[in-house]
Amino acid sequence: MERPRILVVGGGFAGVECARRLERKLAPIEAEIALVAPFSYELYLPLLPQVAAGVLTPQSVAVSLRRQLRRTRIIPGGAVGIDAKAKMVVVRKITDELGAEPYDYLVLAPGSVTRTFDIPGLDEYARGMKTLAEAAYVRDHVIAQLDLADAATSQQERISRLQFVVVGGGYAGTETAACLQRVTTAAVKRYPRLNPNLIKWHLVDIAPKLMPELGEHLGDRAMEILQRRGIEISLGVSVAEVGEESVKLTDGRVLPSRTLIWTAGVAASPLVNTLDAETVRGRLAVTAEMKVPRFDGIFSLGDAAAVPDLAKGDGAVCPPTAQHAQRQGKVVADNIIASIRGQQLKPYYHKDLGLVVDLGGADAVSKPVGVELTGLPAQLVARGYHLMAMRTNVAKVRVATNWGLNATAGDDFVRTGFQARRPAALKDFEYTDSYLNPDQVREFTKNLIAKR
């Protein structure tokens, strides 16, 4: 009898945690395990703003898959379509060739992409903070604006290059604005021709509160910290139009700016649209055991799935956080093992342990197990949590060393020329135009089966 084939799609928190647990709890003779991932690392996404700020090197948050997975076959590419009838996943390899991987059990953890809206100029001029390449690009771009402003002969050009707009008042946007504002504040000392008062950071969000998940007190405290640093916060406002040299807001203001960093939420990976399944706000509807109804052997979790939040009840679904993704990965692995062994599946239940927000330096707000902290105690909790959450000792040492080096030696302001003179739109980094439609998927797998 052939071993069942378990195919995990996604090399993020959910997918890697699932594969790790499958390796530990399944004997090699019980199943074959494969993982589809476009990169050879698991990205520790919560620390991406610190990569953009240069506090951490890109390698620090790129946790090697091959250090974590010993016998899982790693397929270098991205899943771009699912044929549930044929039980095959179409994979676009990193060479851009199309192939297909068969499965008996499929774990869909493709994560999410940056959520965008039909705003003129957004697709062309917005920069995201969802991938490692985007963080490296944003850092280069911000430092380039300082260099160009320093060399500018026009005051109008200088002003537009020194104003930066971050859209999104959640964790990603708030931490990005906080970390990068610290960089430009420190960097301007190396540019004697620049007036520090010309550097302005704007944080914009349509919501009435900053990071409402933290609660009113901590959210207000975070806003006070940012405003004290000089970051202008506009709530209840969004972007109406984006140009090469300006950002127009819905309240009528036009900000002269050549930098728009877009972090206004996430949407499930376009991969879910290739599966004819029910969705909840774009995420796959799943049972409490994270099975996709009507589809044999398919589980989904993480950002791509609307997993019922049994701890909250009342139809709530789990938020797209790393904390939930990692724990869901373990439960899905256990449920696949139970399916193989003919045992009963168990539902996912996890009560949120709290939240941490690193605002750079000694500034932070945290809420571990319901206890509200600010300042240095909150920063210690935040950084301690991140170190514990990283899955390899090498990654922990790299991050801790980088923090220590930055604290003692300060920031560097080197522009590497990453992606200089090349397109840098959201789709160029997140490959959102790489997916097939359902008809293309069926046609590809049909032809592939016929050739065999």
Side-chain angles (χ1 to χ4, degrees):
M1 182 177 177
E2 288 190 3
R3 295 178 295 171
R5 296 164 296 194
I6 304 171
L7 182 63
V8 180
V9 171
F13 291 111
V16 173
E17 197 63 42
C18 180
R20 281 164 52 97
R21 195 170 184 89
L22 288 169
E23 281 193 353
R24 287 197 302 270
K25 301 188 74 172
L26 277 177
I29 60 171
E30 288 187 274
E32 296 178 9
I33 308 168
L35 182 139
V36 179
F39 306 110
S40 62
Y41 58 81
E42 174 191 3
L43 176 62
Y44 192 79
L45 198 63
L47 290 179
L48 215 50
Q50 295 192 32
V51 174
V55 174
L56 298 177
T57 62
Q59 191 179 8
S60 303
V61 299
V63 187
S64 169
L65 291 180
R66 297 188 186 276
R67 279 187 181 270
Q68 299 184 75
L69 303 173
R70 302 298 183 184
R71 60 185 175 88
T72 296
R73 181 168 62 98
I74 298 174
I75 302 162
V80 295
I82 305 163
D83 187 337
K85 186 176 180 181
K87 284 203 163 187
M88 299 182 82
V89 172
V90 180
V91 176
R92 190 182 297 279
K93 300 177 185 178
I94 57 175
T95 58
D96 215 32
E97 300 171 276
L98 287 178
E101 289 292 330
Y103 67 85
D104 296 298
Y105 295 95
L106 176 62
V107 178
L108 289 177
S112 56
V113 296
T114 301
R115 181 180 62 183
T116 58
F117 301 94
D118 190 18
I119 297 172
L122 184 67
D123 289 342
E124 186 176 358
Y125 297 112
R127 311 295 174 232
M129 276 291 292
K130 197 77 176 65
T131 68
L132 194 56
E134 283 176 312
Y137 176 85
V138 165
R139 174 171 173 76
D140 250 25
H141 173 81
V142 168
I143 295 173
Q145 299 314 300
L146 298 177
D147 288 344
L148 291 166
D150 185 63
T153 56
S154 158
Q155 182 73 347
Q156 182 179 353
E157 178 188 349
R158 189 173 291 115
I159 289 172
S160 68
R161 292 197 182 279
L162 295 179
Q163 292 211 48
F164 307 90
V165 182
V166 179
V167 181
Y171 304 110
T174 302
E175 290 187 335
T176 296
C179 290
L180 285 172
Q181 186 268 344
R182 282 178 57 86
V183 169
T184 55
T185 299
V188 76
K189 299 171 185 175
R190 309 290 177 91
Y191 295 85
R193 295 181 66 250
L194 291 183
N195 181 351
N197 295 327
L198 290 180
I199 298 179
K200 295 186 184 300
W201 281 86
H202 302 266
L203 181 58
V204 177
D205 193 71
I206 193 65
K209 289 284 185 181
L210 198 67
M211 295 183 292
E213 302 89 342
L214 281 173
E216 187 170 353
H217 176 257
L218 282 185
D220 289 346
R221 180 64 181 137
M223 192 158 77
E224 288 172 12
I225 291 170
L226 299 184
Q227 288 175 327
R228 189 175 66 243
R229 288 197 202 163
I231 297 176
E232 297 185 14
I233 300 174
S234 300
L235 299 175
V237 178
S238 188
V239 173
E241 186 178 346
V242 188
E244 187 176 357
E245 299 179 15
S246 65
V247 177
K248 183 177 181 180
L249 303 181
T250 53
D251 62 5
R253 283 180 294 160
V254 178
L255 305 176
S257 175
R258 302 184 188 224
T259 305
L260 175 68
I261 302 172
W262 184 265
T263 67
V266 296
S269 165
L271 181 66
V272 306
N273 298 326
T274 70
L275 190 66
D276 185 22
E278 182 184 348
T279 58
V280 177
R281 294 185 180 179
R283 300 163 72 185
L284 284 172
V286 296
T287 66
E289 294 77 22
M290 288 171 283
K291 291 195 70 173
V292 180
R294 302 190 298 108
F295 291 90
D296 180 42
I298 299 184
F299 294 79
S300 188
L301 65 162
D303 292 6
V307 180
D309 192 339
L310 300 182
K312 290 183 178 178
D314 295 326
V317 297
C318 297
T321 65
Q323 186 179 140
H324 278 291
Q326 286 181 322
R327 287 161 178 80
Q328 288 168 6
K330 294 178 181 178
V331 175
V332 165
D334 290 342
N335 284 341
I336 289 175
I337 294 167
S339 299
I340 292 173
R341 297 173 179 173
Q343 300 168 349
Q344 187 174 356
L345 277 60
K346 64 179 182 180
Y348 172 73
Y349 182 94
H350 172 68
K351 191 172 182 180
D352 208 318
L353 297 178
L355 302 162
V356 295
V357 182
D358 188 333
L359 300 174
D363 291 329
V365 292
S366 300
K367 197 176 181 180
V369 293
V371 180
E372 295 187 351
L373 300 173
T374 60
L376 190 57
Q379 183 65 281
L380 293 173
V381 169
R383 296 200 168 182
Y385 170 79
H386 290 314
L387 287 178
M388 287 191 299
M390 302 196 89
R391 290 305 184 197
T392 69
N393 289 330
V394 170
K396 293 176 182 181
V397 170
R398 281 191 180 126
V399 168
T401 301
N402 272 237
W403 280 336
L405 182 63
N406 182 260
T408 54
D411 296 300
D412 258 328
F413 314 107
V414 176
R415 174 168 47 86
T416 63
F418 181 78
Q419 281 241 328
R421 302 184 184 181
R422 296 188 61 187
L426 295 172
K427 64 182 178 64
D428 296 310
F429 287 107
E430 300 184 32
Y431 308 106
T432 51
D433 55 356
S434 296
Y435 295 85
L436 306 181
N437 63 47
D439 289 337
Q440 291 173 317
V441 173
R442 286 189 289 269
E443 184 66 23
F444 181 80
T445 55
K446 178 182 176 183
N447 291 338
L448 194 65
I449 293 170
K451 288 179 183 177
R452 291 177 178 174

